[in-house]
Amino acid sequence: MGATEGSRDTDRRIGRRALLVGGTAAAVGSAVLARDELARLWWRTPGVEKPRVEGAVDFRGARWVAASDANWRRADRPDDYGIDMVVVHVTQGSFASAVKAFQDPGHRAAAHYIVGKDGRITQMIRELDVAYHAGNRSYNERSVGIEHEGFVDRPEDFTDAMYAASARLTAGICARYGIPVDREHIIGHVEVPGTDHTDPGRHWDWDRYMKLVRQAGRALTRA
């Protein structure tokens, strides 16, 4: 049945109001986006950075050991670079050898964290900063890197204590930055585009790990 003249006029008035309201909302949205972009640009300005406390850690219980300045880049994440990913690595060596490598300026690489077989966690680079860990600049800028002590071909290196501690660490990172707990956002080094690395390897139990990360995330929300 066709609309009457009166109802068509009412429809047009509603349409104009919706357009005005929609336009106002769009303008407000654009202003918010512009403000957010200005904030990001502000943190990229040379000489401007967030307050820092020497030796502070982002994960409670982690031990701080500073990596060489040559192995990371100062930043103010997530304001200048959004964080939406965790990258899982394996050291291909001992805990001590990984710490030594990350303190070596000639190594030219380091991750934010190292998790030992015994579950101890050492932080070597602040999450604020860009670690050279993924071999891909874009992925470095958007991710937090976690090394795990051991070798990819020795499944016995991936202990219960390591899985549990790493899962709590990853759950905390995901909660801080609103990262989805899934395999699109929690990846292995082997999955980074352009890499020639194979870690964490076929013995890393992704199903077990993701289950532990989800459990740890739920515990955080209850705390």
Side-chain angles (χ1 to χ4, degrees), residues 135-163:
N136 178 307
R137 178 169 180 161
S138 174
Y139 276 65
N140 284 341
E141 290 173 345
R142 64 189 288 198
S143 67
V144 174
I146 305 175
E147 287 278 2
H148 297 81
E149 178 185 13
F151 293 85
V152 296
D153 58 351
R154 289 181 9 187
E156 63 271 21
D157 288 347
F158 305 142
T159 64
D160 293 345
M162 174 187 285
Y163 273 118

Side-chain angles (χ1 to χ4, degrees), residues 8-83:
R8 285 199 296 271
D9 188 53
T10 302
D11 291 341
R12 286 198 298 273
R13 288 199 299 271
I14 292 172
R16 284 194 293 271
R17 179 189 293 179
L19 181 61
L20 289 170
V21 171
T24 302
V28 171
S30 297
V32 170
L33 287 172
R35 183 192 63 199
D36 289 346
E37 184 58 29
L38 283 173
R40 290 187 177 89
L41 290 172
W42 170 253
W43 292 116
R44 292 190 189 195
T45 304
V48 176
E49 60 182 33
K50 294 176 181 177
R52 294 163 183 256
V53 177
E54 186 175 355
V57 294
D58 297 298
F59 180 78
R60 187 170 58 186
R63 179 181 64 131
W64 174 258
V65 178
S68 168
D69 291 353
N71 297 330
W72 57 275
R73 173 159 52 89
R74 206 170 185 89
D76 285 292
R77 303 190 308 168
D79 290 294
D80 50 2
Y81 303 104
I83 300 174

